[in-house]
mmCIF file of all heavy atoms in Angstrom:
data_model
loop_
_atom_site.group_PDB
_atom_site.id
_atom_site.type_symbol
_atom_site.label_atom_id
_atom_site.label_comp_id
_atom_site.label_asym_id
_atom_site.label_seq_id
_atom_site.Cartn_x
_atom_site.Cartn_y
_atom_site.Cartn_z
ATOM 1 N N GLY A 253 19.026 47.089 -5.479
ATOM 2 C CA GLY A 253 19.414 46.542 -6.830
ATOM 3 C C GLY A 253 18.782 45.133 -6.933
ATOM 4 O O GLY A 253 18.173 44.860 -8.014
ATOM 5 N N ILE A 254 18.934 44.358 -5.979
ATOM 6 C CA ILE A 254 18.378 43.024 -5.993
ATOM 7 C C ILE A 254 16.818 43.107 -6.061
ATOM 8 O O ILE A 254 16.109 42.277 -6.756
ATOM 9 C CB ILE A 254 18.857 42.144 -4.843
ATOM 10 C CG1 ILE A 254 20.346 41.877 -4.934
ATOM 11 C CG2 ILE A 254 18.035 40.838 -4.664
ATOM 12 C CD1 ILE A 254 20.974 41.252 -3.709
ATOM 13 N N PHE A 255 16.302 43.899 -5.397
ATOM 14 C CA PHE A 255 14.812 44.107 -5.411
ATOM 15 C C PHE A 255 14.231 44.412 -6.762
ATOM 16 O O PHE A 255 13.289 43.900 -7.235
ATOM 17 C CB PHE A 255 14.324 45.201 -4.404
ATOM 18 C CG PHE A 255 12.966 45.076 -3.976
ATOM 19 C CD1 PHE A 255 12.505 44.319 -2.824
ATOM 20 C CD2 PHE A 255 11.902 45.615 -4.816
ATOM 21 C CE1 PHE A 255 11.150 44.285 -2.456
ATOM 22 C CE2 PHE A 255 10.522 45.523 -4.429
ATOM 23 C CZ PHE A 255 10.235 44.823 -3.333
ATOM 24 N N VAL A 256 15.047 45.419 -7.377
ATOM 25 C CA VAL A 256 14.591 45.709 -8.861
ATOM 26 C C VAL A 256 14.703 44.434 -9.841
ATOM 27 O O VAL A 256 13.949 44.317 -10.576
ATOM 28 C CB VAL A 256 15.611 46.908 -9.364
ATOM 29 C CG1 VAL A 256 15.344 47.100 -10.835
ATOM 30 C CG2 VAL A 256 15.275 48.160 -8.556
ATOM 31 N N ILE A 257 15.877 43.674 -9.730
ATOM 32 C CA ILE A 257 16.085 42.515 -10.435
ATOM 33 C C ILE A 257 14.937 41.517 -10.254
ATOM 34 O O ILE A 257 14.301 40.899 -11.155
ATOM 35 C CB ILE A 257 17.374 41.907 -10.208
ATOM 36 C CG1 ILE A 257 18.533 42.888 -10.748
ATOM 37 C CG2 ILE A 257 17.595 40.614 -10.961
ATOM 38 C CD1 ILE A 257 19.904 42.477 -10.272
ATOM 39 N N LEU A 258 14.684 41.319 -9.024
ATOM 40 C CA LEU A 258 13.625 40.263 -8.561
ATOM 41 C C LEU A 258 12.274 40.793 -9.160
ATOM 42 O O LEU A 258 11.325 39.936 -9.568
ATOM 43 C CB LEU A 258 13.531 40.025 -7.090
ATOM 44 C CG LEU A 258 14.808 39.203 -6.537
ATOM 45 C CD1 LEU A 258 14.608 39.088 -5.047
ATOM 46 C CD2 LEU A 258 14.840 37.890 -7.252
ATOM 47 N N MET A 259 11.969 42.064 -9.091
ATOM 48 C CA MET A 259 10.726 42.596 -9.559
ATOM 49 C C MET A 259 10.510 42.438 -11.026
ATOM 50 O O MET A 259 9.397 41.998 -11.409
ATOM 51 C CB MET A 259 10.563 44.057 -9.168
ATOM 52 C CG MET A 259 9.178 44.679 -9.559
ATOM 53 S SD MET A 259 9.086 46.397 -8.921
ATOM 54 C CE MET A 259 7.304 46.676 -9.398
ATOM 55 N N TYR A 260 11.647 42.608 -11.753
ATOM 56 C CA TYR A 260 11.509 42.462 -13.137
ATOM 57 C C TYR A 260 11.339 40.749 -13.456
ATOM 58 O O TYR A 260 10.495 40.528 -14.251
ATOM 59 C CB TYR A 260 12.809 42.830 -13.888
ATOM 60 C CG TYR A 260 12.878 42.506 -15.322
ATOM 61 C CD1 TYR A 260 12.170 43.029 -16.293
ATOM 62 C CD2 TYR A 260 13.584 41.228 -15.690
ATOM 63 C CE1 TYR A 260 12.150 42.640 -17.602
ATOM 64 C CE2 TYR A 260 13.583 40.769 -16.987
ATOM 65 C CZ TYR A 260 13.023 41.602 -17.957
ATOM 66 O OH TYR A 260 12.977 41.089 -19.330
ATOM 67 N N LYS A 261 11.995 40.012 -12.681
ATOM 68 C CA LYS A 261 11.945 38.537 -12.788
ATOM 69 C C LYS A 261 10.469 37.968 -12.591
ATOM 70 O O LYS A 261 9.848 37.223 -13.313
ATOM 71 C CB LYS A 261 12.811 37.907 -11.969
ATOM 72 C CG LYS A 261 13.005 36.323 -12.145
ATOM 73 C CD LYS A 261 13.922 35.654 -11.243
ATOM 74 C CE LYS A 261 13.968 34.134 -11.528
ATOM 75 N NZ LYS A 261 15.017 33.549 -10.571
ATOM 76 N N ASN A 262 9.845 38.579 -11.450
ATOM 77 C CA ASN A 262 8.514 38.186 -11.109
ATOM 78 C C ASN A 262 7.500 38.611 -11.995
ATOM 79 O O ASN A 262 6.341 37.975 -12.055
ATOM 80 C CB ASN A 262 8.312 38.566 -9.574
ATOM 81 C CG ASN A 262 9.198 37.880 -8.673
ATOM 82 O OD1 ASN A 262 9.654 36.805 -8.801
ATOM 83 N ND2 ASN A 262 9.455 38.442 -7.510
ATOM 84 N N TYR A 263 7.644 39.785 -12.470
ATOM 85 C CA TYR A 263 6.550 40.414 -13.361
ATOM 86 C C TYR A 263 7.082 40.691 -14.739
ATOM 87 O O TYR A 263 6.706 41.660 -15.428
ATOM 88 C CB TYR A 263 6.056 41.760 -12.821
ATOM 89 C CG TYR A 263 5.595 41.612 -11.257
ATOM 90 C CD1 TYR A 263 6.368 42.186 -10.359
ATOM 91 C CD2 TYR A 263 4.500 40.919 -10.872
ATOM 92 C CE1 TYR A 263 6.081 42.026 -8.937
ATOM 93 C CE2 TYR A 263 4.148 40.726 -9.496
ATOM 94 C CZ TYR A 263 4.916 41.402 -8.544
ATOM 95 O OH TYR A 263 4.475 41.225 -7.285
ATOM 96 N N ARG A 264 7.876 39.748 -15.244
ATOM 97 C CA ARG A 264 8.521 39.922 -16.570
ATOM 98 C C ARG A 264 7.430 39.989 -17.814
ATOM 99 O O ARG A 264 7.676 40.534 -18.778
ATOM 100 C CB ARG A 264 9.488 38.926 -16.853
ATOM 101 C CG ARG A 264 9.007 37.487 -16.770
ATOM 102 C CD ARG A 264 10.130 36.481 -17.088
ATOM 103 N NE ARG A 264 9.783 35.030 -17.017
ATOM 104 C CZ ARG A 264 9.755 34.370 -15.886
ATOM 105 N NH1 ARG A 264 10.007 34.979 -14.666
ATOM 106 N NH2 ARG A 264 9.296 33.076 -15.819
ATOM 107 N N TYR A 265 6.202 39.296 -17.538
ATOM 108 C CA TYR A 265 5.229 39.400 -18.549
ATOM 109 C C TYR A 265 4.589 40.732 -18.747
ATOM 110 O O TYR A 265 3.936 41.036 -19.706
ATOM 111 C CB TYR A 265 4.068 38.229 -18.181
ATOM 112 C CG TYR A 265 4.560 36.838 -18.526
ATOM 113 C CD1 TYR A 265 4.979 36.104 -17.554
ATOM 114 C CD2 TYR A 265 4.557 36.523 -19.855
ATOM 115 C CE1 TYR A 265 5.335 34.775 -17.731
ATOM 116 C CE2 TYR A 265 5.035 35.162 -20.106
ATOM 117 C CZ TYR A 265 5.335 34.382 -19.047
ATOM 118 O OH TYR A 265 5.822 33.017 -19.421
#
Side-chain angles (χ1 to χ4, degrees):
I254 292 172
F255 200 97
V256 171
I257 295 169
L258 290 178
M259 185 173 183
Y260 171 79
K261 183 179 179 181
N262 293 334
Y263 306 112
R264 59 184 178 274
Y265 285 101

